[in-house]
Amino acid sequence: ADESARVLDSVRYSDEAELAAAQEWLELGVRLPSADEVGAARKLLANTPKQGQLTDQPLVYARETVILSETFPRIERVPVQALRIGDTGLVGFSGEPFVELGLELRRKSAFRQHFLIGLSNHHVGYVPTVEAHELGGYEAWRAKTSYLEKDAAPKVVAAALRRLAAIAT
């Protein structure tokens, strides 16, 4: 409560605020499985019931492998938006970005304060850092919930910074 009261005392009120917007489209690669991976997945799934929910992790990811191979494009077109409201920058980002993406924006942004808004305009699953891909974990395993190229995060951050810089003046 004390911190809230302290911050409230420093809030600047204004009857007007400068508005601006910028958008950029990125073409990001999709981590599609190889023909060998699809073959192995189909073999694994061959003896499983066609009905019901899969609960065994290898079967779940085998199913995801087949789905990705049959229905996902090689390239995902993703919007990155920046909005300005006074001295605040907002970035609209598709998918669920790892917190490190927002922290990098905070360090490098042309704005003193900004917000990263995930799950806006499109959903591309988790967007892990390159390091998270190396460490593994369910957010980075190739599936419908995480399928963009490993270098998607730095590309998105760079686009967001370009859009923020374009509207900061």
Side-chain angles (χ1 to χ4, degrees):
D2 288 340
E3 180 63 10
S4 295
R6 186 191 69 74
V7 170
L8 189 58
D9 286 339
S10 68
V11 171
R12 289 181 307 133
Y13 295 93
S14 175
D15 291 336
E16 51 187 63
E18 185 175 338
L19 303 176
Q23 178 172 283
E24 181 173 331
W25 286 87
L26 296 178
E27 290 191 352
L28 300 173
V30 173
R31 291 181 290 140
L32 292 173
S34 69
D36 288 343
E37 290 170 322
V38 175
R42 289 186 193 284
K43 191 177 206 179
L44 189 59
L45 291 168
N47 297 324
T48 61
K50 303 295 183 219
Q51 301 295 325
Q53 184 174 0
L54 296 177
T55 57
D56 185 49
Q57 188 180 48
L59 293 174
V60 169
Y61 282 96
R63 181 195 62 209
E64 295 288 303
T65 295
V66 172
I67 290 169
L68 285 168
S69 73
E70 292 176 347
T71 63
F72 277 61
R74 293 183 126 0
I75 300 291
E76 186 75 59
R77 206 156 174 260
V78 179
V80 177
Q81 295 176 321
L83 304 171
R84 176 183 183 157
I85 303 173
D87 61 358
T88 300
L90 295 93
V91 172
F93 179 71
S94 305
E96 297 181 50
F98 272 35
V99 68
E100 291 87 350
L101 280 66
L103 293 173
E104 184 174 353
L105 283 173
R106 177 182 289 169
R107 284 191 309 275
K108 297 177 179 178
S109 175
F111 288 88
R112 185 176 61 80
Q113 56 189 3
H114 76 277
F115 296 92
L116 172 61
I117 304 165
L119 297 171
S120 59
N121 301 313
H122 189 37
H123 188 359
V124 293
Y126 291 111
V127 184
T129 62
V130 173
E131 296 78 16
H133 277 287
E134 301 305 319
L135 293 172
Y138 76 92
E139 299 108 328
W141 292 339
R142 185 187 59 224
K144 293 179 303 208
T145 55
S146 180
Y147 60 87
L148 292 179
E149 63 182 285
K150 291 181 181 181
D151 291 331
K155 291 178 180 180
V156 170
V157 169
L161 290 169
R162 284 191 299 272
R163 297 303 95 215
L164 287 168
I167 62 173
T169 55

